[in-house]
Amino acid sequence: MPLLGVLLLRNETVFATRVRRGDLGVEMLRRFCRFIARRMVGRPGLYSLIGLAVVVGLGVNYANLEPRYRLADQVPDKQQAVAASHLLDAKLTGANPIDVLIEFRKEPLFMRPRRSP
């Protein structure tokens, strides 16, 4: 144990039992996790099948979802889509979005030829 822990905590078992009783929410969570763990260890095959059934069910639901597209995918003109998107954002949130344009150079700085002195 670190020196500060030895100096501050003379009897760590008494401290651990006092802390364990001190937080009711953590103790309830610990009991619930212990309950789940004991059940899982008791019947691992059953819970594996249940977990597999849940994953398959969620997969079937995901496969049957209808595709949704963004507004920009439905409008042929990109400028019109951006304007419509800003209008929709303004109506929904009441906010004024800020657009920032960042332009990158065609070739990176490290690929430029060096100037001779």
Side-chain angles (χ1 to χ4, degrees):
M1 242 204 298
L3 180 62
L4 187 60
V6 171
L7 292 175
L8 293 177
L9 300 174
R10 298 287 181 196
N11 191 354
E12 65 270 1
T13 56
V14 173
F15 176 74
T17 56
R18 193 176 334 140
V19 169
R20 186 175 296 143
R21 291 185 201 139
D23 195 356
L24 181 64
V26 172
E27 187 61 31
M28 287 175 55
L29 180 63
R30 188 178 291 136
R31 286 181 187 165
F32 177 70
C33 291
R34 187 180 309 126
F35 171 75
I36 296 293
R38 285 182 181 161
R39 293 250 180 183
M40 293 288 286
V41 171
R43 299 184 190 112
L46 174 67
Y47 289 105
S48 296
L49 288 176
I50 291 172
L52 182 64
V54 168
V55 168
V56 168
L58 290 174
V60 168
N61 283 340
Y62 180 75
N64 290 327
L65 286 176
E66 292 181 20
R68 308 258 177 181
Y69 300 101
R70 295 177 297 154
L71 182 61
D73 294 336
Q74 297 175 1
V75 179
D77 184 20
K78 289 182 182 178
Q79 296 300 327
Q80 183 183 2
V82 170
S85 177
H86 286 305
L87 182 63
L88 191 62
D89 284 342
K91 285 183 179 179
L92 291 176
T93 62
N96 295 323
I98 298 173
D99 292 328
V100 177
L101 176 63
I102 299 174
E103 291 183 5
F104 294 101
R105 298 179 184 192
K106 297 283 184 196
E107 54 185 47
L109 288 174
F110 63 86
M111 301 222 19
R112 282 189 187 170
R114 290 187 180 184
R115 294 182 195 167
S116 58

